[in-house]
Amino acid sequence: MSVQESTFHGFANPVDPTPAELRAWAYKPDSVPLASMPPDWDLLVSGDRLVLTLFELAMDPSCPARRFALHCLYIYAADGIRTNFRAHPKRRFRKLVEQAERDGDELMKVWAHNGRVLLARPDLFIYRDWCEGGLVRENRRLG
């Protein structure tokens, strides 16, 4: 049975979900609506522990929570870059960007492009774009 076919029964601890719980929820996001999650849940899950799961979900065009996962990747990128990679390893970020450029569709290529632009020009950080979903909603490439 695949994750997509299974029933998701909720998070043991929504503040600290496991990769398997996040993956199961992402394919059944109506089972636990985002509005019922803790405040700033997107910020809570956008760390190193779940970034590979979030990346996998964002790379899957059939994932119902793909835009949420992509939003979390924008938060992850901005957090790493703005802290000069004290928050997240630069090497991991670069590997994700390279994989998105190589294997991703247009949404993921735009994320990779924007990550590279912010890396070169951290002054282009705008909280609304990177942490409140602006770049996901607009699917816009930074110049």
Side-chain angles (χ1 to χ4, degrees):
M1 178 186 288
S2 74
V3 171
Q4 290 86 341
E5 297 167 356
S6 66
T7 303
F8 179 62
H9 299 290
F11 297 99
N13 179 1
V15 174
D16 189 22
T18 67
E21 287 174 333
L22 185 62
R23 190 175 298 106
W25 168 81
Y27 287 98
K28 303 282 184 192
D30 293 337
S31 61
V32 182
L34 277 175
S36 71
M37 298 307 239
D40 297 324
W41 191 62
D42 53 348
L43 301 176
L44 293 171
V45 300
S46 297
D48 284 320
R49 194 165 95 70
L50 295 171
V51 73
L52 297 179
T53 303
L54 291 164
F55 186 81
E56 170 192 317
L57 298 170
M59 289 285 281
D60 181 359
S62 70
C63 177
R66 182 184 194 201
R67 289 173 57 86
F68 175 79
L70 181 60
H71 165 63
C72 291
L73 290 179
Y74 272 102
I75 293 170
Y76 181 84
D79 195 30
I81 292 165
R82 288 178 36 85
T83 63
N84 200 24
F85 294 98
R86 286 186 304 277
H88 310 297
K90 189 174 195 175
R91 183 171 182 221
R92 177 174 288 157
F93 170 70
R94 284 192 187 274
K95 283 185 169 190
L96 294 174
V97 165
E98 289 165 4
Q99 185 177 348
E101 290 169 337
R102 184 180 60 247
D103 304 326
D105 64 4
E106 185 60 20
L107 277 178
M108 292 305 292
K109 287 181 185 341
V110 169
W111 172 78
H113 167 83
N114 289 343
R116 286 194 184 274
V117 169
L118 190 65
L119 186 58
R121 300 234 1 247
D123 59 299
L124 292 178
F125 174 80
I126 297 171
Y127 189 85
R128 181 186 93 48
D129 286 345
W130 290 86
C131 300
E132 292 181 345
L135 289 171
V136 174
R137 282 189 301 278
E138 297 164 12
N139 192 31
R140 138 178 88 83
R141 286 179 181 261
L142 297 174

